[in-house]
Amino acid sequence: MAEHTLVGHRVPRIDSLDKATGQARYTADLTLPRMLYGKVLRSPHAHARILNIDASKAERLRGVKAVVTGRDTAGVRWGVFRYTRDQQLLTGDKVRYIGEDVAAVAAEDEETAMEALELIEVDYEVLPAVFGPLEAMQEGAPQIHDHAENNINIHVPIEVGDVEKGFKKSYHVREDRFVDSEYTYCQTEPYAVLVNCDLSGNLEIWTPNASPHTKAKALSNLLEMPLTKVKVRRICTGGAFGGRSDIFPGEFIAALMALKAARPVKLVYTREESFTSVRQAHSMIVDLKTGVRKDGTLLANEIKVIMDGGAYSSTGPIATSVPFLVWEETYRLPNVRFNGYRVYTNKPVRGMYRCHGRAFLGGLGMQLDMIAEELGIDPVEMRLRNALRTGDTQATGSKIISCGLSEALQQAAEKSGWKEKRGKLPFGKGIGMGANGMMVGFPMGIRGGSSAMIKFNEDGGATLISGVVDTGSGNDSMVVQIAADVLGLKMEDVNLVSADSEITPLDQGAYSQAAAFVSANAAMAAAIDAREQILNIASDMLDATVEELGLRDGYVYMKERPERNIWMGKAIRKALMDDTPIMGRGSYMPKIDQTREWVSNPKGQQAGTFSFGAVVAEVEVDAETGQVRVSNVTGAHDCGFAINPMAVEGQLEGSVASGGVGATLLEEHYWDGGQMLNASMLEYKVPLSVDMPQITPIIVESMDPEGPFGAKEAGLWGSMNMFQAIGNAIYDAVGVWIKDFPITPDKVLAALEERNRD
Amino acid sequence: MRLPKFEHLQPESLEEALELLAEHGEQAKVIAGGTELLVSMKHGLLAPSYLVNLKEIPELNFIAYDGEGGLRIGALTKLATLIGSPVIQESFAVLSRAASLVAAPPLQQMGTLAGNLCLDTRCLYYNQSRFWRQARPRCYKTGGDTCHVVKGGNRCLAAYQGDVAPALIALGASVKIAKKGADRIVPLADLYTGKGERPLALQADEVLVEVQVAAEAARWGGDYQKLRYRGAMDFPLVGVAAVVSRDGLDTIARASLVLTAVSTAPILAEEAGRLLQGQELTDELVAQAAGAAYEVARPVNNIGSNPSYRRKMVRVLTKRAIRNAWVRE
Amino acid sequence: MEKRLIHLSVNGDEYDVVVRPNQTLLEVLREDLELTGAKEGCGEGACGTCTVLLEGKPVRSCLTLAVEAQGKQIETVEGLASDGELHPVQKAFIEHGAIQCGFCTPAMILTTKAFLEENPNPSEGEARRAISGVVCRCTGYAKIVAAMMATAGEL
Ligand SMILES: Cc1cc2nc3c(=O)[nH]c(=O)nc-3n(C[C@H](O)[C@H](O)[C@H](O)COP(=O)(O)OP(=O)(O)OC[C@H]3O[C@@H](n4cnc5c(N)ncnc54)[C@H](O)[C@@H]3O)c2cc1C
Ligand code: SF4
Ligand code: FES
Ligand code: FES
């Protein structure tokens, strides 16, 4: 497969046509006959006991077809892990944050449903609440869950090497605290769900999601229905960014109501509900102590992270570990101690986000620069000195099978003009670097692999059936591109059936950055399997050996004598007649240590492979207003191999917006106690076109030995390393370190004033 | 998000509109571009029984200028039209600049001049959904007797955040207000009560029909500086309009500085203007004037960012606005 | 609340629809006419995903009353392609990879079309300003701007 007609080329995505013409359907666009409209009654209290719910008036309102409360749930609790089952998706006894689901109504129209909500009477006994993790950990703080002492939800302790000795041997040691506030996915598509049920007990669900199989499994557990009866259907998803994977109350509530009313129910959240009642990203308090040799080599790290997890666990064990993991996935850490705490507070639930851990990653990357300066080392040098390389083993035991980090660092530096600019720009202008490594997949048991099938039509066209999920980044198109390339077909000749928990095989979903590495690997294996079958049949028909044959443009041909060929449709028909129909089958399970566990055993191979990236950001700081403008970003990413370079670039550009300008400079929630003051698109500051810098993407290809055509991942480019690049660039521009994210103008100005005072 | 119920009334002339307003009084509300009003209605902040729609009244949509009578702009003129007007660009640059910084282009396409001038005051505890507001007691602006921003405060301090009013006030603009059987012309500055709860001195049956700027203002230089976190969409966290005129080569004849988003109304920084008047522009003088503007700004913690920062920015933006206005003069 | 029969002209098709005065144009397009290309990302004027063209200009259909659109020309993304031919802006968006999740795409495409018809040869800064009222969370706007600039001069 030396010559590729499709793979590695800039091809338009298969889903763009529908999206450009308005034909693509998202959940809120769907209607079904006799569909009801749902609305959820939410808690106005941050912490309260529910004494009584009286929904009888609502039930009697004309047009109301179903009312559900915690009483309908038999107290079932949900948790992503067996040890995190702490959430009743429709709470019965207690509310733990403002916006929590208390009851719901399904009615003939939205107005009636809203009217009915006003008729539900809930008696609350208001309890003292706590809104910050440090306060929540104190003795005597309000207890949010009975089981969690000091409100500690998750504690991840990791220790490798001899940290004390490492510090002792260090030439230089630094300690810093970095903090950040809560932020949010803010996918453009608000949360929505549509549930249909039939009399044979089948449940169909449409909802923006990154993992239909995960959602289906959770619902089947919660509703005590067989998994075969719970069918999460494919639907366009308006962005996920890590936030649409585990089950949410909405799906559960809509299902309860659909079952109760025996009619389809659609629930569409307002933007405010999407902010408060689905998922947000954690805030963090990060204490970092780092010791280095004189030449900048890292000798010891002591890290403590306290995260505000909100009211429930969600993906807490993962969320608590990931900040550390992406650090050990970047640099050689001989001696390291990590203590991550995720703490319950009376705030909305926090999950995994594309830009997870800005205080952590921003902090570590900025501290590296501080140390570099103190030692008189160039920041690029500092990173190169510690960067992981192919063949290395990470602190907790993962082997690196391909690594282009050094190359990424060098290329980003070179293309951005680092040498000419760093430390040499006029006051107010600055340049800074960031780097990161990223796991490609992580242990998810049986759900951590993917499988795929390919069948053929008699006209030579193929249908690929894959569990791959596309939440916007182009995964659907990627697997079709690969299958078509392997099979010598055009992309339009390969149909895709994907992301349907009933029809398509298990897959981890658009989660854990594994779609290219795992899902596409499975699709490629299925295509190769089919290709072999086709070639076998054709070798009889053409009287040639399989090795002598190739596939191109829908024909099987002899490589040496291309004029000797047959149309693929013919081979497919012959296979049917011979009772050996061509069916490609493929699967891929990444080589992960399946005994590795987030909390109890954070050791062993974490992921099949790792991707690496470096960015250079250039900023202009207005020293009078403190406003920071990012003018240029040069990013180099080792994605293994770019299956579609245009899509890879798009991932960087998007993450410069969300991780760079957004998470680093603009995005945060304001609170008054447990109430969010800016749950709106106007007051929550997602970057706009006019806020964005010029972006130069550089693709580094380390050709991973396991990945399909060498590919790894490209989604978390920039979104994890822009924090440090911008933080460092601000220092280069005006000489202040801002250790509190987002770096809003008021903070920059305050730091400048303080410095001028000293 | 759904709108509450109302009747939609579509007058075709100003007279008819005034008639309808006289008839329905407090139960009616006028709608122009609707970009503020409909959001407030979706939030349940307002629930008028009647909307009197001014969009189809041609006599309210015009821009007229002559060297003697000055500039007259119909109330229903869209911000986009105003921004695109060559006369305004050339002779009243501060106005087109302020309007061009409102929201984003599609909202300028919908929003009108009168709607902008008649914006309600804003507060993060007020511009919220009904559900959101239910979680705490009513504040002064919603009929209660507390303020969530200034604990123990005795009145509402919601912020006036319109961008255009400061520019027009700095130009000395007046507005023509009509009701059934009567017209009045008042300085634009007098339209604002300074009360967060009820920021406009307008009766329920009154309509703002026209904005007037004297011809002499066409010779003045002006600038508007706006602080916001994003390059578009956002209301000002601070806005400063400056208009100056020259006496001879180096002396400032008259200067007018108006701030927005730092109080319950656009505020004229009188002392700042007085300091500049009759003086030559020096860095020191500019700094003094900026200091005087800083003194009158009273931001509180209710529209995002932090108030002490916003107040400091009054100083910075005032300096910039004076400098730019002077250069343009 | 009186229901009213109104006449809407959408993408050149004529519709008679019975509406309540408090229905927005967005609701009527999506629910009554089943034209779901315009999306409700916020309902408060702040995201732009509900953009449609009214008399050729991009507006927030979530803040436009359906009764106000009576007698005006309305264009939605569904009406852009004609006779099976994509509009040049649609083509450029597809070819330049300007579409990811697609939720902002109808609004971006319509805004671009209106903008380029008025300003056929814009600077990049002008193009960025034109779409500054529409939020995209996926693309970082880079490829959208590239698609806009590539179509400039073609309309
Ligand atoms: C996302 C977003 C961002 C925004 N950003 C800004 C910004 O940066 N700066 C800014 O200034 N504004 C901003 N706005 C507010 C608004 O869009 C503009 O101020 C606009 O000009 C308002 O005009 P309108 O015609 O739409 O007003 P409408 O909503 O129609 O009316 C606003 C108010 O004025 C009253 N009114 C309207 N016309 C008259 C009249 N002739 N006589 C008496 N009363 C009248 C109405 O009854 C209503 O109370 C923003 C709005 C949104 C949704
Ligand atoms: S300033 Fe105080 S009284 Fe006024 S709206 Fe805000 S909370 Fe209410
Ligand atoms: S839905 Fe209309 S602007 Fe967001
Ligand atoms: S493509 Fe997803 S919001 Fe723009």
Side-chain angles (χ1 to χ4, degrees), chain A residues 42-44 110 272 622 624-625 627 666 672 675-677 682 685-686 688 690-691 745-746 749 753, chain B residues 2 122 124-125 128-129 131-132 135-136 228-234 305-306 309 312-313 316 320:
Chain A
R42 305 193 172 281
S43 166
E110 215 179 308
E272 181 188 355
D622 181 331
E624 280 186 323
T625 64
Q627 284 194 305
L666 291 170
D672 187 332
Q675 199 167 19
M676 200 196 295
L677 293 171
L682 180 59
K685 308 297 183 192
V686 169
L688 304 170
V690 284
D691 302 313
D746 51 328
L749 196 73
E753 285 172 353
Chain B
R2 303 267 164 176
R122 300 177 61 83
L124 287 173
Y125 292 82
Q128 298 284 0
S129 70
F131 165 74
W132 194 99
R136 50 179 72 230
R228 56 180 167 188
Y229 277 7
R230 298 185 290 186
M233 207 91 98
D234 298 340
S305 189
N306 79 61
Y309 170 73
K312 281 182 201 153
M313 288 307 101
V316 176
R320 291 180 182 182

